[in-house]
Amino acid sequence: MAVPIAVLDCDLLLYGRGHRTLDRFKLEDVTDEYLVSTYGFPRQFICYLVDLLGATLSRPTQRSRAISPETQILAALGFYTSGSFQTRMGDAIGISQASMSRCVANVTEALVERASQFIHFPKDEATVQTLKEDFYGLAGMPGVLGVVDCTHVAIKAPNAEDLSYVNRKGLHSLNCLMVCDSRGVLLSAETHWPGSLADCTVLEQAALTSQFETELHKDGWLLGDSSFLLRTWLMTPLHIPETPAEYRYNMAHSATHNVIERTFRTIRARFRCLDGSKGTLQYSPEKSSHIILACCVLHNISLQHGLDVWSAPATGHVEQSEEEYEQTESMDSEACRVRQELLLTHFS
């Protein structure tokens, strides 16, 4: 009797029943060193992800052999950290490239669903105060709630003839707006903006702006570079500092804002699918945006688990934002007053 093709497993067709799969491969059978070298993370971290995502990844399936949550997570981590679906990775976990791709899609969506759980600004006053104190300890800049910047991640050209994703270098990319704290923990990540948009335009249209203008704390601010306009809640450098106080302000601003650049470098170093060394992300803008956001969630979880991303080496091609800053001072008189008061109170 013919077997309906819908119930056949492509891994079974490719490898046969005797091929070793990760459903038989146990984490306890291998060393942490092996897990880190192959999948980018140690056993404890992987087990945490299995607990976190297991129920979501165990959805009913019509396939004859559902791929276990553990297998799906290892496949996705292998892709995120290597940027490759090559046979070596598939052989390591005993599944086909097609199944690898499905695993990455499943784990990515499960992580994106939990983004707000791991990427958010603190709400309680004690945590907000600690946030400010940690930033102040870096270079003496008071009132800082986060540092903000944009970075580009290269993607394949969309199927549609859409020039909105072509950036200043003539490459297709997503322009990602992110905010981090003094340790590099992401407090906000908007990864879906087309690469043609300038950083200041992204911020103008971002949910982040609505949050700070309508919801968040009035007694602090973000720090942004000169690609952004000065706002009451966003302190930018002075274009041409003239007084000693203005020079001190700019130096403290630069030293503090550098945290976000280090964060970008270390995220790319850990998640090689984003660094361009294996080529662009071969997905639609929407799916590419979700992969970037999933890596951001993993970045924050890794910091929660004490994994030191600051020590990760920066490797591969980095498609960073390279704005040609138009040094135009903000016409917002209240924002200018806030910055001037900050200069007089803390840097004079």
Side-chain angles (χ1 to χ4, degrees):
M1 182 178 66
V3 179
I5 191 66
V7 303
L8 292 178
D9 189 326
C10 62
D11 299 321
L12 187 63
L13 290 173
L14 285 172
Y15 299 118
R17 294 188 180 277
H19 186 80
R20 185 186 72 167
T21 71
L22 250 183
D23 294 323
R24 301 171 188 170
F25 174 93
K26 301 300 181 184
L27 287 176
E28 57 267 24
D29 293 339
V30 297
T31 65
D32 260 8
E33 289 75 12
Y34 172 81
L35 292 172
V36 171
S37 65
T38 308
Y39 307 108
F41 292 95
R43 186 187 333 275
Q44 182 181 10
F45 182 90
I46 295 169
C47 289
Y48 173 82
L49 291 182
V50 173
D51 290 340
L52 178 70
L53 307 178
T56 302
L57 298 176
S58 298
R59 292 166 178 154
T61 176
Q62 292 182 343
R63 297 178 59 198
S64 58
R65 292 187 303 127
I67 302 177
S68 71
E70 182 179 274
T71 304
Q72 295 183 61
I73 288 168
L74 286 171
L77 291 178
F79 170 71
Y80 297 147
T81 58
S82 73
S84 174
F85 282 132
Q86 296 302 315
T87 304
R88 183 187 65 82
M89 182 61 65
D91 285 347
I93 60 177
I95 62 176
S96 68
Q97 182 171 317
S99 291
M100 280 278 294
S101 183
R102 287 196 299 273
C103 291
V104 171
N106 292 342
V107 174
T108 295
E109 293 311 307
L111 288 168
V112 167
E113 288 173 5
R114 290 161 177 78
S116 61
Q117 176 183 346
F118 295 98
I119 303 175
H120 56 80
F121 283 91
K123 300 288 183 165
D124 63 282
E125 291 186 10
T127 307
V128 170
Q129 184 59 35
T130 299
L131 183 67
K132 293 180 182 178
E133 291 172 357
D134 289 343
F135 271 120
Y136 186 80
L138 294 179
M141 180 68 77
V144 180
L145 298 170
V147 289
V148 59
D149 208 348
C150 287
T151 186
H152 285 255
V153 175
I155 63 172
K156 74 171 184 178
N159 292 329
E161 293 183 6
D162 188 349
L163 297 179
S164 66
Y165 292 94
V166 179
N167 62 28
R168 300 175 73 98
K169 293 183 175 181
L171 304 174
H172 291 84
S173 68
L174 290 168
N175 195 3
C176 305
L177 178 73
M178 300 187 193
V179 180
C180 74
D181 70 9
S182 62
R183 297 190 303 118
V185 175
L186 295 174
L187 306 175
S188 177
E190 299 185 35
T191 60
H192 62 283
W193 296 102
S196 66
L197 295 182
D199 292 359
C200 61
T201 304
V202 169
L203 182 62
E204 182 180 345
Q205 300 178 13
L208 179 68
T209 294
S210 297
Q211 287 179 317
F212 266 83
E213 291 186 345
T214 62
E215 300 174 18
L216 290 181
H217 319 280
K218 303 299 183 182
D219 57 345
W221 38 72
L222 302 178
L223 296 188
D225 63 22
S226 298
S227 62
F228 301 113
L229 290 176
L230 179 71
R231 300 169 184 258
T232 56
W233 50 268
L234 177 65
M235 293 293 102
T236 60
L238 288 141
H239 175 32
I240 304 177
E242 297 177 348
T243 68
E246 290 175 345
Y247 276 101
R248 285 192 288 269
Y249 166 86
N250 270 14
M251 290 178 64
H253 187 292
S254 176
T256 307
H257 187 266
N258 185 54
V259 173
I260 190 75
E261 301 298 336
R262 294 175 67 195
T263 300
F264 288 156
R265 289 195 297 268
T266 53
I267 288 175
R268 291 176 184 275
R270 169 156 276 162
F271 302 106
R272 300 291 299 279
C273 67
L274 307 181
D275 76 354
S277 64
K278 300 291 184 180
T280 62
L281 284 174
Q282 297 297 301
Y283 296 91
S284 68
E286 180 182 9
K287 289 184 178 179
S288 295
S289 169
H290 286 185
I291 288 173
I292 300 166
L293 185 56
C295 290
C296 291
V297 173
L298 290 172
H299 167 78
N300 276 10
I301 296 175
S302 69
L303 287 177
Q304 287 184 4
H305 281 73
L307 301 181
D308 183 11
V309 297
W310 292 127
S311 63
T315 56
H317 172 70
V318 177
E319 177 57 40
Q320 290 281 7
S321 172
E322 293 191 3
E323 294 285 330
E324 294 180 9
Y325 300 152
E326 296 181 4
Q327 301 285 359
T328 302
E329 285 295 335
S330 173
M331 299 303 292
D332 186 336
S333 59
E334 178 62 15
C336 292
R337 185 196 66 76
V338 170
R339 186 170 64 181
Q340 188 61 30
E341 183 177 335
L342 176 60
L343 280 163
L344 293 173
T345 303
H346 294 279
F347 295 97
S348 295

